[in-house]
Tab-separated table of all heavy atoms in Angstrom:
chain	number	residue	atom	x	y	z
A	104	VAL	N	-61.015	-10.170	9.733
A	104	VAL	CA	-59.781	-10.937	9.950
A	104	VAL	C	-59.596	-12.025	8.906
A	104	VAL	O	-58.506	-12.631	8.821
A	104	VAL	CB	-59.743	-11.540	11.354
A	104	VAL	CG1	-59.857	-10.463	12.412
A	104	VAL	CG2	-60.822	-12.593	11.553
A	105	GLY	N	-60.617	-12.299	8.095
A	105	GLY	CA	-60.460	-13.316	7.076
A	105	GLY	C	-61.771	-13.694	6.438
A	105	GLY	O	-62.795	-13.029	6.620
A	106	SER	N	-61.711	-14.770	5.676
A	106	SER	CA	-62.888	-15.288	5.007
A	106	SER	C	-62.813	-16.808	5.037
A	106	SER	O	-61.717	-17.388	4.983
A	106	SER	CB	-62.926	-14.800	3.552
A	106	SER	OG	-64.041	-15.341	2.856
A	107	MET	N	-63.967	-17.448	5.100
A	107	MET	CA	-64.030	-18.911	5.133
A	107	MET	C	-65.328	-19.360	4.530
A	107	MET	O	-66.363	-18.680	4.672
A	107	MET	CB	-63.896	-19.430	6.565
A	107	MET	CG	-63.979	-20.948	6.696
A	107	MET	SD	-63.645	-21.500	8.384
A	107	MET	CE	-61.848	-21.179	8.501
A	108	GLY	N	-65.287	-20.479	3.842
A	108	GLY	CA	-66.532	-20.962	3.258
A	108	GLY	C	-66.470	-22.413	2.861
A	108	GLY	O	-65.400	-23.041	2.848
A	109	LEU	N	-67.629	-22.943	2.571
A	109	LEU	CA	-67.753	-24.271	1.992
A	109	LEU	C	-67.915	-24.088	0.494
A	109	LEU	O	-68.790	-23.336	0.030
A	109	LEU	CB	-68.973	-25.008	2.554
A	109	LEU	CG	-68.949	-25.267	4.070
A	109	LEU	CD1	-70.209	-26.016	4.508
A	109	LEU	CD2	-67.705	-26.081	4.473
A	110	VAL	N	-67.058	-24.757	-0.275
A	110	VAL	CA	-67.050	-24.602	-1.726
A	110	VAL	C	-67.172	-25.986	-2.363
A	110	VAL	O	-67.239	-26.996	-1.655
A	110	VAL	CB	-65.774	-23.892	-2.207
A	110	VAL	CG1	-65.679	-22.499	-1.608
A	110	VAL	CG2	-64.531	-24.701	-1.835
A	111	ARG	N	-67.243	-26.013	-3.702
A	111	ARG	CA	-67.415	-27.244	-4.452
A	111	ARG	C	-68.614	-28.042	-3.913
A	111	ARG	O	-68.511	-29.215	-3.562
A	111	ARG	CB	-66.146	-28.086	-4.410
A	111	ARG	CG	-64.924	-27.346	-4.914
A	111	ARG	CD	-63.703	-28.257	-5.053
A	111	ARG	NE	-62.495	-27.518	-5.290
A	111	ARG	CZ	-62.107	-27.038	-6.480
A	111	ARG	NH1	-62.875	-27.263	-7.542
A	111	ARG	NH2	-60.991	-26.366	-6.613
A	112	LEU	N	-69.749	-27.365	-3.892
A	112	LEU	CA	-70.947	-27.943	-3.263
A	112	LEU	C	-71.789	-28.783	-4.241
A	112	LEU	O	-72.893	-29.200	-3.879
A	112	LEU	CB	-71.817	-26.828	-2.700
A	112	LEU	CG	-71.175	-25.989	-1.573
A	112	LEU	CD1	-72.171	-24.947	-1.066
A	112	LEU	CD2	-70.715	-26.884	-0.425
A	113	GLU	N	-71.273	-29.050	-5.440
A	113	GLU	CA	-72.065	-29.809	-6.397
A	113	GLU	C	-72.346	-31.236	-5.916
A	113	GLU	O	-73.318	-31.865	-6.380
A	113	GLU	CB	-71.375	-29.846	-7.763
A	113	GLU	CG	-69.984	-30.493	-7.780
A	113	GLU	CD	-68.885	-29.502	-7.510
A	113	GLU	OE1	-69.146	-28.384	-7.088
A	113	GLU	OE2	-67.709	-29.894	-7.713
A	114	LEU	N	-71.548	-31.746	-4.964
A	114	LEU	CA	-71.775	-33.086	-4.449
A	114	LEU	C	-72.464	-33.096	-3.080
A	114	LEU	O	-72.719	-34.159	-2.530
A	114	LEU	CB	-70.433	-33.828	-4.332
A	114	LEU	CG	-69.713	-34.113	-5.635
A	114	LEU	CD1	-68.384	-34.832	-5.364
A	114	LEU	CD2	-70.555	-34.926	-6.586
A	115	LEU	N	-72.802	-31.911	-2.567
A	115	LEU	CA	-73.357	-31.859	-1.214
A	115	LEU	C	-74.708	-32.554	-1.136
A	115	LEU	O	-74.989	-33.269	-0.183
A	115	LEU	CB	-73.504	-30.405	-0.765
A	115	LEU	CG	-74.167	-30.185	0.613
A	115	LEU	CD1	-73.398	-30.913	1.712
A	115	LEU	CD2	-74.260	-28.694	0.931
A	116	ARG	N	-75.535	-32.371	-2.155
A	116	ARG	CA	-76.872	-32.939	-2.103
A	116	ARG	C	-77.019	-34.158	-2.996
A	116	ARG	O	-78.061	-34.448	-3.547
A	116	ARG	CB	-77.894	-31.852	-2.486
A	116	ARG	CG	-77.997	-30.790	-1.385
A	116	ARG	CD	-78.805	-29.561	-1.767
A	116	ARG	NE	-78.886	-28.654	-0.643
A	116	ARG	CZ	-77.940	-27.794	-0.295
A	116	ARG	NH1	-76.840	-27.729	-1.013
A	116	ARG	NH2	-78.090	-27.007	0.754
A	117	THR	N	-75.921	-34.908	-3.106
A	117	THR	CA	-75.924	-36.209	-3.777
A	117	THR	C	-75.572	-37.252	-2.730
A	117	THR	O	-75.351	-36.940	-1.564
A	117	THR	CB	-74.891	-36.244	-4.921
A	117	THR	OG1	-73.570	-36.202	-4.366
A	117	THR	CG2	-75.096	-35.048	-5.855
A	118	ALA	N	-75.465	-38.490	-3.168
A	118	ALA	CA	-75.118	-39.567	-2.246
A	118	ALA	C	-73.729	-39.364	-1.635
A	118	ALA	O	-73.446	-39.850	-0.529
A	118	ALA	CB	-75.180	-40.912	-2.967
A	119	GLU	N	-72.854	-38.604	-2.315
A	119	GLU	CA	-71.498	-38.377	-1.789
A	119	GLU	C	-71.478	-37.462	-0.576
A	119	GLU	O	-70.582	-37.550	0.268
A	119	GLU	CB	-70.610	-37.804	-2.886
A	119	GLU	CG	-70.137	-38.843	-3.915
A	119	GLU	CD	-71.217	-39.176	-4.944
A	119	GLU	OE1	-72.283	-38.519	-4.908
A	119	GLU	OE2	-71.001	-40.089	-5.741
A	120	ARG	N	-72.395	-36.495	-0.479
A	120	ARG	CA	-72.508	-35.595	0.652
A	120	ARG	C	-71.161	-34.939	0.974
A	120	ARG	O	-70.731	-34.875	2.131
A	120	ARG	CB	-73.027	-36.334	1.897
A	120	ARG	CG	-74.325	-37.107	1.715
A	120	ARG	CD	-75.492	-36.195	1.439
A	120	ARG	NE	-75.742	-35.257	2.508
A	120	ARG	CZ	-76.679	-34.307	2.459
A	120	ARG	NH1	-77.421	-34.161	1.376
A	120	ARG	NH2	-76.861	-33.506	3.474
A	121	GLN	N	-70.515	-34.397	-0.052
A	121	GLN	CA	-69.187	-33.815	0.117
A	121	GLN	C	-69.199	-32.290	-0.029
A	121	GLN	O	-70.053	-31.739	-0.683
A	121	GLN	CB	-68.218	-34.376	-0.925
A	121	GLN	CG	-67.896	-35.834	-0.758
A	121	GLN	CD	-66.839	-36.303	-1.749
A	121	GLN	OE1	-66.031	-35.509	-2.223
A	121	GLN	NE2	-66.838	-37.587	-2.043
A	122	ALA	N	-68.204	-31.675	0.608
A	122	ALA	CA	-67.946	-30.242	0.439
A	122	ALA	C	-66.449	-30.032	0.702
A	122	ALA	O	-65.747	-30.950	1.157
A	122	ALA	CB	-68.771	-29.416	1.408
A	123	GLU	N	-65.979	-28.841	0.385
A	123	GLU	CA	-64.568	-28.489	0.635
A	123	GLU	C	-64.517	-27.218	1.470
A	123	GLU	O	-65.298	-26.298	1.242
A	123	GLU	CB	-63.837	-28.307	-0.685
A	123	GLU	CG	-62.361	-27.961	-0.535
A	123	GLU	CD	-61.655	-27.770	-1.881
A	123	GLU	OE1	-61.982	-28.499	-2.833
A	123	GLU	OE2	-60.794	-26.857	-1.968
A	124	LEU	N	-63.591	-27.185	2.415
A	124	LEU	CA	-63.402	-26.008	3.259
A	124	LEU	C	-62.278	-25.158	2.668
A	124	LEU	O	-61.170	-25.633	2.431
A	124	LEU	CB	-63.031	-26.428	4.688
A	124	LEU	CG	-62.878	-25.305	5.687
A	124	LEU	CD1	-64.230	-24.676	6.019
A	124	LEU	CD2	-62.221	-25.828	6.972
A	125	GLY	N	-62.589	-23.873	2.454
A	125	GLY	CA	-61.585	-22.931	1.955
A	125	GLY	C	-61.528	-21.688	2.834
A	125	GLY	O	-62.550	-21.312	3.437
A	126	PHE	N	-60.380	-21.046	2.892
A	126	PHE	CA	-60.253	-19.870	3.767
A	126	PHE	C	-59.009	-19.076	3.422
A	126	PHE	O	-58.064	-19.569	2.802
A	126	PHE	CB	-60.203	-20.298	5.244
A	126	PHE	CG	-59.234	-21.421	5.534
A	126	PHE	CD1	-57.893	-21.152	5.781
A	126	PHE	CD2	-59.654	-22.751	5.579
A	126	PHE	CE1	-56.996	-22.159	6.050
A	126	PHE	CE2	-58.760	-23.760	5.831
A	126	PHE	CZ	-57.424	-23.485	6.089
A	127	TRP	N	-59.016	-17.801	3.849
A	127	TRP	CA	-57.826	-16.972	3.879
A	127	TRP	C	-57.869	-16.101	5.131
A	127	TRP	O	-58.941	-15.848	5.675
A	127	TRP	CB	-57.618	-16.139	2.612
A	127	TRP	CG	-58.770	-15.261	2.153
A	127	TRP	CD1	-59.652	-15.525	1.156
A	127	TRP	CD2	-59.150	-13.979	2.671
A	127	TRP	NE1	-60.545	-14.515	1.002
A	127	TRP	CE2	-60.250	-13.530	1.908
A	127	TRP	CE3	-58.653	-13.145	3.683
A	127	TRP	CZ2	-60.882	-12.302	2.150
A	127	TRP	CZ3	-59.284	-11.917	3.921
A	127	TRP	CH2	-60.369	-11.515	3.153
A	128	THR	N	-56.687	-15.675	5.566
A	128	THR	CA	-56.591	-14.819	6.749
A	128	THR	C	-55.855	-13.539	6.405
A	128	THR	O	-54.821	-13.558	5.722
A	128	THR	CB	-55.816	-15.567	7.857
A	128	THR	OG1	-56.356	-16.863	8.056
A	128	THR	CG2	-55.883	-14.784	9.176
A	129	ALA	N	-56.421	-12.430	6.833
A	129	ALA	CA	-55.831	-11.123	6.502
A	129	ALA	C	-54.530	-10.903	7.239
A	129	ALA	O	-54.340	-11.335	8.395
A	129	ALA	CB	-56.825	-10.033	6.854
Side-chain angles (χ1 to χ4, degrees):
V104 302
S106 177
M107 179 173 289
L109 298 180
V110 299
R111 304 188 190 279
L112 298 182
E113 61 271 12
L114 296 179
L115 177 58
R116 290 171 178 82
T117 69
E119 283 78 6
R120 307 294 300 176
Q121 292 185 25
E123 181 181 323
L124 183 70
F126 48 85
W127 52 259
T128 309

